[in-house]
Amino acid sequence: MKFGRLGPIGSVVLEERPVPVAGPGEVTVSLAACGVCGTDLEKVRGNYRTAGVIGHEPVGRIATLGAGVSGLAPGDRVFVHHHVPCYTCEVCARGDYTFCPTYSKTNLDPGGFAETFRVPKENVDRHAVLRLADNVEWGSGALLEPAGCALTAIRRVGLPEGGSVFILGLGPVGLLYARLARALGAGWVGGSEVAARRRAAAERGGIDLTTDPRDAGAARTAVERATNGRGVDLAVVATGHPSVARSATELVRRGGTVNLFGLPEAGSRLDVDLQALYLQGVRVVPSYATTETDIAEVHRRVASGALNLADLVSHRIPLGQIGEAFRLAGRPEDSVKVIVTGPAA
């Protein structure tokens, strides 16, 4: 079978390998679609290669079941989450599930960009294989994981009812964050983004206002007008550029929150006036990844029609052309969300 993996820095390569076999408690899944995530792009660029596996937003059909698996059947349409916490360590006991030491040690074999992939027993046991509702099409299914990341982040920072939010970076995950913030009761949502196509996607999704970060002062002016000069309750850094994190600290109100949401560049530093943050009571809260529980909640919202994701998919590229998929995903002026399609689509 074909699968895509990291090649030399700057490249993704397509290779052949045997079809994986489901062991006891495991399942294999035939790929329908898998989104190209920003962290996949960073791994290809060499900025985030710790795990070495790419493809973590997959949907498809159950191909085979290992001994002892119940509640699933061949042909079931499913989303599969690649990481699961242990739920027994002290980190999990505090509710910080995505920071569990074993969380990132669970993964799909050989990754989500494969014609067929194996799901470990731990993931199956912890309900990381989610049956899709009939009305949730493949494209929306491939967006459940990044939308789950946004939901996990919003819950972690504690968005106040009717609160104001400004998102710096309206890539796919920033767009999902914006739509979820609105769905969860935010009173005003704004954002900044260089790519006009992505600003349009934000406004199409009900976001109040977008700005171009190349227009100096536009974000600050928009926030001051929307909040009567107070600043937003929540400023979200949905990109990894250090300068954007600094900008976020300048948009948030006294006692407000900055959410470090996008993957920072390796070795980057936050260059801000710490005394100003101290005197203004600004919280800086990182959030990372998501859990199967929050993904299931996003799925319920999509299935009920309360949250629309499908229109964010701009390109569907066959697995055999995975290099083109990554090229497009890395060009924000040309794409919104790129998904790689497989044999089950």
Side-chain angles (χ1 to χ4, degrees):
M1 70 166 194
K2 295 182 175 63
F3 81 104
R5 65 165 181 84
L6 289 175
I9 289 178
S11 68
V12 178
V13 297
L14 194 67
E15 289 192 354
E16 292 278 345
R17 62 161 282 175
V19 175
V21 176
E26 299 179 338
V27 301
T28 63
V29 177
S30 176
L31 178 69
C34 184
V36 179
C37 178
T39 54
D40 290 325
L41 292 172
E42 292 305 318
K43 288 177 182 180
V44 170
R45 293 165 182 154
N47 293 330
Y48 182 62
R49 298 173 71 89
T50 51
V53 177
I54 54 174
H56 58 268
E57 302 173 354
V59 287
R61 293 186 182 275
I62 296 289
T64 63
L65 304 175
V69 175
S70 61
L72 296 167
D76 282 351
R77 299 173 67 251
V78 295
F79 166 85
V80 182
H81 193 210
H82 63 315
H83 291 331
V84 289
C86 71
Y87 290 110
T88 59
C89 70
E90 62 175 345
V91 177
C92 287
R94 295 194 301 266
D96 295 326
Y97 302 115
T98 64
F99 298 99
C100 169
T102 64
Y103 179 83
S104 61
K105 295 178 181 178
T106 55
N107 215 322
L108 310 178
D109 171 33
F113 297 122
E115 289 184 319
T116 302
F117 57 88
R118 180 181 61 85
V119 184
K121 182 178 186 299
E122 294 87 348
N123 299 53
V124 177
D125 287 346
R126 294 168 197 164
H127 309 291
V129 182
L130 173 70
R131 276 199 299 270
L132 295 176
D134 291 342
N135 64 336
V136 176
E137 50 84 38
W138 294 127
S140 295
L143 282 164
L144 291 178
E145 191 273 346
C149 292
L151 179 58
T152 298
I154 291 169
R155 287 179 168 165
R156 183 171 177 82
V157 300
L159 176 65
E161 181 68 27
S164 53
V165 183
F166 195 88
I167 299 168
L168 296 94
L170 293 170
V173 76
L175 290 166
L176 292 165
Y177 201 120
R179 291 189 181 189
L180 268 165
R182 173 69 80 205
L184 292 170
W188 183 85
V189 182
S192 63
E193 168 60 40
V194 170
R197 181 169 188 168
R198 295 181 173 187
R199 292 198 304 272
E203 292 166 4
R204 185 173 68 245
I207 306 314
D208 295 286
L209 181 145
T210 63
T211 64
D212 187 331
R214 293 170 296 191
D215 183 356
R220 181 187 292 271
T221 298
V223 165
E224 288 180 348
R225 287 176 179 171
T227 64
N228 294 319
R230 185 176 65 107
V232 290
D233 298 301
L234 173 63
V236 182
V237 183
T239 178
H241 301 295
S243 62
V244 176
R246 178 174 181 169
S247 297
T249 67
E250 298 168 351
L251 297 175
V252 70
R253 65 164 171 82
R254 288 176 175 270
T257 302
V258 173
N259 181 199
L260 298 181
F261 182 62
L263 174 69
E265 296 177 355
S268 57
R269 299 290 185 269
L270 180 58
D271 181 16
V272 298
D273 184 338
L274 293 180
Q275 187 178 95
L277 293 186
Y278 173 85
L279 293 174
Q280 294 169 17
V282 173
R283 297 189 305 156
V284 179
V285 181
S287 58
Y288 163 68
T290 188
T291 66
E292 58 279 5
T293 301
D294 284 348
I295 291 171
E297 173 60 25
V298 170
H299 175 258
R300 285 191 290 271
R301 289 178 177 272
V302 174
S304 71
L307 181 66
N308 180 36
L309 306 182
D311 68 298
L312 295 178
V313 177
S314 60
H315 296 82
R316 291 172 167 82
I317 307 295
L319 178 61
Q321 299 173 33
I322 192 171
E324 173 66 5
F326 272 72
R327 187 192 71 80
L328 276 169
R331 295 180 58 84
E333 65 275 17
D334 294 332
S335 67
V336 180
K337 182 67 175 184
V338 178
I339 62 174
V340 171
T341 59

